[in-house]
């Protein structure tokens, strides 16, 4: 089973993934967690290029690098685990590319991004995608004062466009679960667990 978490920076994904890990641990359920970009040696090397090295990266270069990191992770780690019926949790997947590179950066047409997403994911589709929906202003307040990487420093207008992208995406597939992320971490976690349990029945 593939569970993905999506949302703008500061929406609370990492917090919720930690809570979900605890929940699975307490219930004796096995799982694997990977973050995008990253999760393999090659993908982590691409990550450092994407998030730290340069401010003048071309938008298409960025799109292709996120996709390259993804292809390696999915082929090397995720597909073998899913073939063994394991639970895989991804901190971001190709919906991030649609929202950030497509809507945020306008780096390419949505149809080209869709084709690239399919290629880089080797056809893998999530069973459940939790979109932690939050006002960009609240998310920015949450991350204020923390050290920002290249994309996190992109500014409010950028995140508004990314949020619009997610809002459009969620109506395209029933795998999306829109979660009101402006609540306590416990309330959000309870809703996520309820949805996963219902899905598994
Ligand atoms: P992300 O991984 O989506 O960037 P994090 O889980 O790292 O987000 O959360 C960003 C910041 O917001 C952290 O300081 C975290 O403690 C805080 N935070 C996370 N969830 C909530 C919440 N539900 N309410 C208030 N603050 C939160
Ligand atoms: P990260 O530090 O993992 O942020 P977060 O905790 O919010 O996920 O950095 C990942 C950054 O990369 C984040 O700003 C979103 C961005 N990103 C894209 O622009 N496109 C993508 O396809 C992916 C996977 C991430």
């Amino acid at each position: 089973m593939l569970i993905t978490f999506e949302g703008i920076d500061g929406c609370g994904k990492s917090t919720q993934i930690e809570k979900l890990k605890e929940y699975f641990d307490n219930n004796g359920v096995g799982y694997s967690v990977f973050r995008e970009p990253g999760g393999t040696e090659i993908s982590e090397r691409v990550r450092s290029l994407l998030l730290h090295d340069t401010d003048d990266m071309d938008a298409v270069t960025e799109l292709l690098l996120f996709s390259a990191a993804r292809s390696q992770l999915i082929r090397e780690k995720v597909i073998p685990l899913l073939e063994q019926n394991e639970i895989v949790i991804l901190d971001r997947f190709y919906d991030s590319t649609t929202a950030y590179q497509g809507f945020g950066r306008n780096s390419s047409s949505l149809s080209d991004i869709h084709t690239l997403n399919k290629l880089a994911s080797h056809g893998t589709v999530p069973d459940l995608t939790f979109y932690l929906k939050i006002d960009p202003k609240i998310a920015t307040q949450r991350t204020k004062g923390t050290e920002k990487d290249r994309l996190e420093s992109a500014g409010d207008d950028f995140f508004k466009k990314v949020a619009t992208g997610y809002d459009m995406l969620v109506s395209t597939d029933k795998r999306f679960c829109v979660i009101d992320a402006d609540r306590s971490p416990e309330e959000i976690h309870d809703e996520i667990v309820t949805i996963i349990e219902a899905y598994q029945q």
Side-chain angles (χ1 to χ4, degrees):
M1 178 182 190
L2 178 60
I3 302 171
T4 62
F5 282 80
E6 295 285 351
I8 60 173
D9 297 63
C11 67
K13 280 183 293 89
S14 312
T15 304
Q16 289 308 317
I17 289 170
E18 280 310 308
K19 285 189 163 298
L20 189 56
K21 283 164 65 177
E22 232 172 81
Y23 164 81
F24 283 140
D25 285 341
N26 291 338
N27 286 281
V29 176
Y31 60 85
S32 300
V33 184
F34 304 102
R35 67 170 178 185
E36 277 215 14
T40 72
E41 201 188 320
I42 290 172
S43 309
E44 289 291 337
R45 279 157 69 184
V46 176
R47 178 186 176 92
S48 77
L49 271 178
L50 275 163
L51 301 187
H52 304 299
D53 278 0
T54 170
D55 265 345
D56 53 13
M57 185 180 286
D58 166 63
V60 176
T61 306
E62 180 184 282
L63 169 67
L64 294 172
L65 284 175
F66 276 116
S67 302
R70 174 166 308 130
S71 173
Q72 188 67 33
L73 171 66
I74 301 303
R75 173 61 82 209
E76 188 179 319
K77 299 272 174 76
V78 175
I79 289 177
L81 287 163
L82 293 177
E83 280 173 354
Q84 291 166 31
N85 287 324
E86 294 285 331
I87 293 178
V88 177
I89 302 169
L90 287 185
D91 185 344
R92 298 194 179 281
F93 192 36
Y94 48 41
D95 300 315
S96 288
T97 303
T98 309
Y100 280 76
Q101 279 63 55
F103 285 84
R105 291 250 193 266
N106 276 316
S107 58
S108 173
S109 72
L110 288 178
S111 103
D112 280 352
I113 289 180
H114 182 71
T115 304
L116 196 50
N117 284 347
K118 232 169 120 181
L119 180 71
S121 60
H122 304 270
T124 304
V125 180
D127 295 285
L128 289 174
T129 298
F130 294 105
Y131 166 43
L132 304 190
K133 184 174 161 75
I134 196 155
D135 186 323
K137 280 201 196 96
I138 300 174
T140 306
Q141 269 167 7
R142 284 186 184 173
T143 57
K144 219 184 244 171
T146 60
E147 200 188 322
K148 296 207 174 5
D149 61 42
R150 198 172 61 86
L151 283 119
E152 280 175 335
S153 318
D156 287 352
D157 283 352
F158 176 73
F159 285 119
K160 267 190 218 150
K161 287 193 261 176
V162 174
T164 306
Y166 277 123
D167 289 342
M168 305 240 331
L169 259 179
V170 293
S171 62
T172 61
D173 199 327
K174 65 178 187 353
R175 71 184 160 87
F176 284 105
C177 310
V178 182
I179 306 291
D180 173 5
D182 188 14
R183 292 180 293 163
S184 74
E186 291 69 29
E187 279 175 285
I188 298 168
H189 171 68
D190 288 347
E191 186 179 359
I192 288 172
V193 165
T194 303
I195 293 170
I196 293 174
E197 285 177 348
Y199 183 88
Q200 286 175 324
Q201 268 158 22

